[in-house]
Amino acid sequence: MARVTISDLAQWKKSGQKWAMLTSYDQITAEIIDEAGIPVILVGDSAGNNFYGYENTIPVTVEELISSSRAVVSSTKNALVVSDLPFGSYESSPEQALETGVRFFKEASPQAVKLEGGIKVIPQIKKLIAAGIPVMGHLGLTPQSVHALGGFKVQGRGEAGNQIIADALALAEAGVFALVLELVPQELAEEISKKLTIPVIGIGAGKGCDAQVLVTNDLLGLTKNPPKLAKAYRNLRVEMENAITEWVAEVRNGEFPGPEQSFN
Ligand code: KIV
């Protein structure tokens, strides 16, 4: 089976088929997510606080996300893989954005990149698309700007929603193939999803979007303090702790290794 393409996503928007995107930063989860049939995998800069042990996404480097992207691409067969461009790797100029996008495409081979921001980053988006690099947009709560936004707060309430609508229309006009809307009122997300002909992927943006994205650690119940926008479908944190505790007890009482794990 060939990988999902941006044309498939455009077709799903037309036919009203909803879909899901999940994050991955490593080989094992990418393989599992791909086998589960998730059509789009995001090598998000949420790797900062979910994989690399930083406080937030800001310190994540190009090298770290290229390394994670390479692991995800090489262990998946079906999903479209999108790599985040880290903070500081595209804002300066369209040329800087292209240089970073080209590094990702040459060194990790994802099928697309994602970057944060509205009208201000349109020149960057156009430069990437002109070079053959599909771009996913990201508006609303953009974690790379968390300090400028004054924290992880809902964006676009009241009049502020007009700016997000204007940004979304401008991004779509510039050619992004899909748009992430994070932590915005559900009515605003629904309105934008109806206005745009490209898929809108919500996270903390209500049911009215064309697709949904979650951080995989949150979905699996691995995150210690998950955000309100996430839902844990299992408690793998407790499962892992139990497995480790059981093994340690068996090591202590001499049950492990048993005959199955021993060799003559
Ligand atoms: O980095 C990330 O995981 C993201 C999603 C939350 C959309 O940008």
Side-chain angles (χ1 to χ4, degrees), residues 5-257:
T5 64
I6 62 172
S7 313
D8 293 323
L9 306 187
Q11 188 50 47
W12 297 345
K13 171 84 182 191
K14 276 197 196 129
S15 66
Q17 182 180 328
K18 291 203 179 209
W19 50 275
M21 174 164 95
L22 278 175
T23 58
S24 176
Y25 326 110
D26 67 283
Q27 184 258 324
I28 293 276
T29 55
E31 196 175 85
I32 295 169
I33 291 168
D34 199 46
E35 284 173 7
I38 296 290
V40 185
I41 298 181
L42 174 66
V43 186
D45 59 1
S46 53
N49 44 312
N50 284 276
F51 190 68
Y52 289 110
Y54 304 135
E55 193 186 339
N56 53 41
T57 64
I58 294 170
V60 174
T61 65
V62 168
E63 286 69 26
E64 284 165 341
L65 281 199
I66 284 182
S67 168
S68 279
S69 298
R70 204 183 287 127
V72 170
V73 170
S74 64
S75 45
T76 53
K77 293 190 180 82
N78 306 319
L80 177 100
V81 178
V82 182
S83 297
D84 254 341
L85 298 189
F87 176 66
S89 73
Y90 60 92
E91 296 89 338
S92 299
S93 63
E95 289 69 29
Q96 187 202 21
L98 180 58
E99 199 177 306
T100 308
V102 166
R103 271 201 71 189
F104 271 87
F105 263 44
K106 280 194 177 289
E107 297 176 38
S109 306
Q111 286 75 51
V113 299
K114 173 166 85 59
L115 53 79
E116 296 183 4
I119 288 164
K120 277 190 282 195
V121 291
I122 297 276
Q124 279 84 337
I125 290 170
K126 286 190 171 162
K127 190 86 174 171
L128 285 160
I129 294 172
I133 300 178
V135 180
M136 179 181 279
H138 187 157
L139 294 172
L141 188 279
T142 44
Q144 294 177 6
S145 309
V146 63
H147 300 308
L149 297 174
F152 290 93
K153 301 180 193 159
V154 175
Q155 301 295 308
R157 282 198 172 120
E159 288 296 298
N162 293 333
Q163 185 58 52
I164 299 187
I165 295 173
D167 282 333
L169 290 170
L171 257 54
E173 172 75 23
V176 299
F177 69 92
L179 173 67
V180 170
L181 275 185
E182 180 165 353
L183 214 52
V184 299
Q186 51 187 336
E187 298 76 20
L188 177 65
E190 188 169 351
E191 185 183 341
I192 293 173
S193 305
K194 283 188 180 143
K195 275 190 200 296
L196 299 190
T197 55
I198 54 163
V200 173
I201 311 159
I203 174 161
K207 289 176 192 292
C209 300
D210 306 295
Q212 297 287 328
V213 55
L214 276 184
V215 169
T216 301
N217 285 0
D218 296 341
L219 176 145
L220 297 177
L222 287 165
T223 312
K224 214 171 199 169
N225 300 305
K228 178 173 153 47
L229 56 77
K231 177 173 172 185
Y233 286 80
R234 291 291 184 279
N235 195 339
L236 289 200
R237 194 179 180 91
V238 165
E239 281 293 303
M240 285 175 78
E241 281 167 3
N242 288 347
I244 293 164
T245 309
E246 241 175 80
W247 178 69
V248 170
E250 289 197 2
V251 168
R252 289 203 177 128
N253 70 20
E255 254 182 84
F256 182 90

